[in-house]
């Protein structure tokens, strides 16, 4: 099915219809469903071109920002398969591989859309990590959260050395992810009213998430192949907000 999705059509009605079919299909999969690598790449290739063909100037209800929100928050948080964290992990992996493959072909007129897509995807992943620190979080949620961290290490925050997936990641993605890293952490930490947890418990949860994420930045700051990426990583580590959250 996934390889037959028609999302690169100039007809916006057909694109919206195809997107809704996909989301409905994913939401009705059995909780035990596991997607293959090929399936997730087919899904994200279709979604990539859904956004590619979307008119940023459109005044239709499905605005660019709403579309991006659908492609990230809807897929990775509570709306689609809330009890299947491994499915979300597979979709995240498929996203980073797809955006890395397609990045060099994005023209300057469309780049802003994809910068926002990457930002929103990163925020959705951080939210999954934060949710995995709940006392009620399941073992599967915690294992999937560790998997999300590993995906970040292999793709957007890879050092660019060796022969792994990181060699496929353009530095433009690394720069943008580092530019928005702390901003998106802040949005997740400030999201919603968590007063019922108490300040100490909230601080504990923030500390856990920082422990999961900032080690990735430290690794890139020391070992990234590109000097510019190393310097940008050090700027992230020097952000004063990190100390305030600890």
């Amino acid at each position: 099915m996934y390889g037959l999705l028609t999302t690169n059509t100039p007809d916006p009605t057909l694109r919206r219809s195809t997107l809704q079919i996909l989301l409905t299909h994913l939401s009705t999969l059995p909780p035990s469903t596991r997607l293959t690598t090929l399936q997730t790449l087919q899904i994200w290739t279709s979604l990539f071109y859904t956004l590619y063909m979307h008119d940023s100037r459109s005044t239709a209800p499905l605005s660019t920002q709403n579309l991006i929100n659908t492609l990230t928050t809807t897929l990775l948080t509570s709306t689609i398969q809330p009890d299947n964290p491994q499915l979300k992990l597979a979709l995240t992996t498929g996203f980073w591989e797809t955006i890395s493959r397609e990045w060099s072909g994005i023209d300057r007129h469309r780049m802003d859309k994809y910068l926002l897509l990457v930002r929103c995807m990163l925020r959705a992943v951080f939210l999954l990590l934060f949710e995995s620190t709940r006392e009620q979080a399941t073992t599967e949620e915690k294992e999937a959260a560790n998997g999300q961290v590993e995906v970040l290490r292999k793709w957007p925050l890879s050092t660019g050395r060796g022969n792994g997936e990181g060699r496929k990641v353009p530095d433009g993605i690394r720069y943008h992810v580092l530019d928005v890293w702390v901003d998106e952490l802040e949005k997740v930490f400030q999201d919603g009213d968590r007063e019922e947890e108490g300040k100490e418990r909230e601080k504990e949860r923030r500390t856990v998430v920082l422990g999961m994420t900032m080690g990735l930045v430290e690794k890139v700051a020391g070992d990234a192949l590109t000097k510019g990426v190393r310097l940008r990583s050090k700027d992230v580590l020097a952000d004063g907000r990190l100390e305030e959250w600890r």
Side-chain angles (χ1 to χ4, degrees):
M1 169 194 174
Y2 304 117
L4 300 176
L5 293 172
T6 306
T7 53
N8 59 349
T9 172
D11 183 348
T13 302
L14 182 55
R15 290 201 306 273
R16 287 194 293 270
S17 174
T18 302
L19 177 59
Q20 189 56 53
I21 290 171
L22 172 61
L23 295 177
T24 300
H25 171 73
L26 290 175
S27 66
T28 56
L29 290 173
S32 59
T33 299
R34 297 291 184 268
L35 296 177
T36 66
T37 300
L38 177 59
Q39 287 173 325
T40 58
L41 291 178
Q42 288 173 334
I43 289 170
W44 270 111
T45 298
S46 297
L47 296 178
F48 178 91
Y49 283 104
T50 296
L51 183 59
Y52 190 90
M53 298 299 295
H54 184 71
D55 185 358
S56 301
R57 300 165 299 175
S58 175
T59 58
L62 190 61
S63 68
T64 300
Q65 192 154 351
N66 286 339
L67 175 58
I68 290 172
N69 183 66
T70 299
L71 300 185
T72 55
T73 306
T74 302
L75 282 174
L76 292 188
T77 53
S78 60
T79 309
I80 299 292
Q81 293 287 328
D83 299 320
N84 193 344
Q86 290 299 325
L87 179 65
K88 301 178 194 303
L89 177 58
L91 288 169
T92 306
T93 306
F95 166 77
W96 291 115
E97 182 165 354
T98 301
I99 198 71
S100 296
R101 184 189 66 234
E102 302 288 348
W103 190 261
S104 62
I106 301 172
D107 60 71
R108 63 186 180 90
H109 301 291
R110 291 180 169 93
M111 182 56 77
D112 283 349
K113 294 191 290 188
Y114 290 99
L115 292 174
L116 181 58
L117 176 63
V118 169
R119 174 189 282 268
C120 291
M121 175 61 74
L122 187 64
R123 186 190 314 160
V125 170
F126 285 162
L127 182 58
L128 288 175
L129 298 184
F130 192 82
E131 291 301 311
S132 76
T133 64
R134 294 176 296 117
E135 292 182 356
Q136 303 91 338
T138 65
T139 300
E140 190 175 15
E141 283 180 280
K142 294 176 181 179
E143 290 175 350
N146 290 332
Q148 294 284 1
V149 174
E150 183 65 11
V151 169
L152 291 174
R153 185 192 68 78
K154 286 183 175 181
W155 288 97
L157 281 196
S158 57
T159 63
R161 299 182 186 275
N163 297 316
E165 293 89 341
R167 297 285 292 181
K168 306 174 186 176
V169 181
D171 274 342
I173 291 179
R174 292 189 180 92
Y175 284 127
H176 183 56
V177 166
L178 289 166
D179 282 344
V180 303
W181 190 267
V182 180
D183 290 341
E184 297 311 312
L185 278 173
E186 183 174 42
K187 289 174 184 175
V188 169
F189 290 160
Q190 293 180 346
D191 184 41
D193 183 7
R194 302 190 181 103
E195 291 184 359
E196 69 280 0
E197 289 186 326
K199 291 185 177 180
E200 283 304 311
R201 175 56 185 154
E202 187 175 345
K203 181 179 179 180
E204 290 174 5
R205 294 180 67 187
R206 287 199 306 265
T207 300
V208 172
V209 174
L210 290 174
M212 299 170 79
T213 57
M214 297 313 299
L216 300 173
V217 182
E218 291 171 359
K219 176 69 174 175
V220 174
D223 296 342
L225 185 62
T226 307
K227 181 179 179 180
V229 174
R230 295 197 299 272
L231 293 175
R232 193 72 58 89
S233 302
K234 291 174 182 177
D235 289 341
V236 174
L237 295 172
D239 194 303
R241 287 172 290 181
L242 298 174
E243 194 59 37
E244 293 175 6
W245 294 331
R246 290 189 171 99

